[in-house]
Amino acid sequence: MHELVAVGNDPEAATAIASDLGAICYLSDPKETRPMPFTTMVRAVTDSPERLESAAEFGTYLVFSRVIRERPVATDAGTASPGVTAVFPLLHHPDLTHQEADAHWRDIHAPLALRHHPGMWDYTQLSVISTLGGPQIDGFALVAFDSLESMKTRFFGDDNDREVIYADVASFADSKSPRRVVATETIYGQRPPTSPKKWPQG
């Protein structure tokens, strides 16, 4: 599924656009004091990408979404989804091409993540097909847990989990990738997003 992703720092704009487009909105904790690369993300399907501009201070990306694990809990449209989502921006390792890093992320890292993140109940890879504006990014990992406490205590089960994941990430991702952003997800339509527009069928 191809989507447009707008990444920025205006929560009001992100919320309004997501609601209008039946999209998905991720907002970081407004009480976060550490410097973040961005604080909002909108995932949408639309043939009018300019509608995302006010929520795209950081950048706009055409992505392909890969659902690796889907949480077992449903959520009502327009209300905050349960749990928290850690958004990890990804830059490819300098020794690899985008395609090589993305294939590793999809085929090798995803199975490792399922085994070595015991508290992870939801995982989607947003693979960037094209950067439409903003800094080059190769992907966004959306790693969700049922609570902030679970993310803190069950991101890894033990030291072996940590070592396996760190070693694998270092093999395909640049250590200069932007830091993660912990966010709350709100789905205004469905996930993955679809266009709110319908066309006549012949």
Side-chain angles (χ1 to χ4, degrees), residues 38-53:
F38 52 84
T39 58
T40 69
M41 171 185 284
V42 176
R43 296 170 56 190
V45 173
T46 176
D47 54 5
S48 302
E50 66 275 5
R51 295 177 68 182
L52 298 169
E53 287 179 359

Side-chain angles (χ1 to χ4, degrees), residues 8-145:
N9 293 294
D10 187 334
E12 291 185 1
T15 299
I17 290 168
S19 177
D20 186 46
L21 292 177
I24 304 172
C25 185
Y26 299 84
L27 302 179
S28 71
D29 184 349
K31 298 178 182 177
E32 177 62 71
T33 58
R34 295 173 300 172
M36 294 285 111
F38 52 84
T39 58
T40 69
M41 171 185 284
V42 176
R43 296 170 56 190
V45 173
T46 176
D47 54 5
S48 302
E50 66 275 5
R51 295 177 68 182
L52 298 169
E53 287 179 359
S54 62
E57 179 183 344
F58 180 87
T60 307
Y61 305 89
L62 175 66
V63 307
F64 184 85
S65 63
R66 299 190 288 250
V67 178
I68 310 300
R69 171 177 286 167
E70 193 161 14
R71 63 174 175 257
V73 179
T75 184
D76 294 329
T79 62
S81 300
V84 295
T85 300
V87 182
F88 291 86
L90 170 69
L91 302 177
H92 69 270
H93 192 285
D95 293 339
L96 302 177
T97 65
H98 165 82
Q99 290 76 14
E100 290 169 338
D102 189 63
H104 184 112
W105 187 31
R106 179 191 64 220
D107 300 331
I108 297 175
H109 185 73
L112 290 176
L114 293 175
R115 291 200 297 271
H116 296 283
H117 291 311
M120 181 180 72
W121 74 341
D122 198 273
Y123 178 31
T124 296
Q125 295 178 345
L126 300 179
S127 173
V128 174
I129 305 301
S130 179
T131 297
L132 305 180
Q136 292 291 324
I137 296 288
D138 291 270
F140 298 91
L142 307 180
V143 183
F145 296 79

